[in-house]
Amino acid sequence: MKKLILVRHAKSDWPEETEDFDRPLADKGLAEAMHMSRFMKNNNVAIDYFVSSPAVRALNTCKIFNQAYHLTITTNEKLYNPSESNFESVIYDLDDNVSSVAFFSHNNGISNFANSISEDIFHFPTCGVAGFEIDCNSWSEFEGAKKKLLFFYDPGKI
């Protein structure tokens, strides 16, 4: 069994003359990310590896989560403005030693991807987190594997 955790970046700001890629987290986003990461760690949500969009708001969300988890972080540009196939491409590149991975990414792609692998209807709020159990031994088996929603956390409701 593998676990895939999808995390939408926390609430961001959009200062004047700032490119989309360089948008920072808002103060609310910093608080959301700290709250959510502690909640997940305190509820024993195991994660082995973080992969983040390189965009500032996603990577900073990932770094805040890493204050609780202390893992290796990698970035993958496929998680910035992603399509469903971008997520799958990143999944297929994972090492099979990784049992549980968290992807830090953006809407609409992250919601669309979650909807493509689940019968539940998703619209991720900022810093929303969904966890899936993937019935496979190798990430290469992802497409045909049975997928089960384990949890969906909205930071405004925890």
Side-chain angles (χ1 to χ4, degrees):
M1 290 288 186
K2 303 284 188 190
K3 287 196 177 67
L4 174 64
I5 297 160
L6 302 175
V7 184
R8 182 180 175 199
H9 66 78
K11 181 78 176 154
S12 59
D13 202 357
W14 202 326
E16 283 186 45
E17 299 183 29
T18 301
E19 294 293 324
D20 179 72
F21 186 90
D22 297 320
R23 290 171 51 201
L25 292 177
D27 290 345
K28 178 183 178 186
L30 294 169
E32 279 177 342
M34 290 169 76
H35 178 64
M36 183 61 79
S37 61
R38 288 182 187 139
F39 173 82
M40 290 178 58
K41 187 71 173 176
N42 291 340
N43 283 280
N44 300 311
V45 176
I47 306 173
D48 299 332
Y49 193 60
F50 286 157
V51 184
S52 178
S53 156
V56 170
R57 60 195 181 276
L59 186 55
N60 285 344
T61 301
C62 180
K63 287 177 179 176
I64 291 168
F65 271 66
N66 207 32
Q67 291 173 8
Y69 280 91
H70 309 289
L71 301 172
T72 298
I73 296 173
T74 61
T75 59
N76 191 311
E77 60 194 32
K78 293 175 187 172
L79 295 179
Y80 178 64
N81 286 333
S83 67
E84 293 88 29
S85 63
N86 287 41
F87 285 95
E88 290 174 1
S89 176
V90 176
I91 287 167
Y92 292 132
D93 287 343
L94 292 170
D95 188 295
D96 284 334
N97 291 328
V98 173
S99 296
S100 179
V101 64
F103 288 173
F104 293 79
S105 191
H106 310 262
N107 256 350
N108 292 317
I110 199 165
S111 290
N112 291 342
F113 178 66
N115 287 321
S116 77
I117 64 170
S118 175
E119 299 191 4
D120 298 272
I121 302 299
F122 286 96
H123 180 74
F124 278 74
T126 53
C127 213
V129 180
F132 297 89
E133 183 177 76
I134 315 299
D135 189 3
C136 64
N137 294 314
S138 170
W139 291 108
S140 66
E141 302 166 347
F142 178 81
E143 185 176 357
K146 184 177 177 196
K147 298 155 188 83
K148 175 181 158 190
L149 177 68
L150 297 175
F151 57 80
F152 181 74
Y153 299 135
D154 179 330
K157 297 178 180 171
I158 59 166

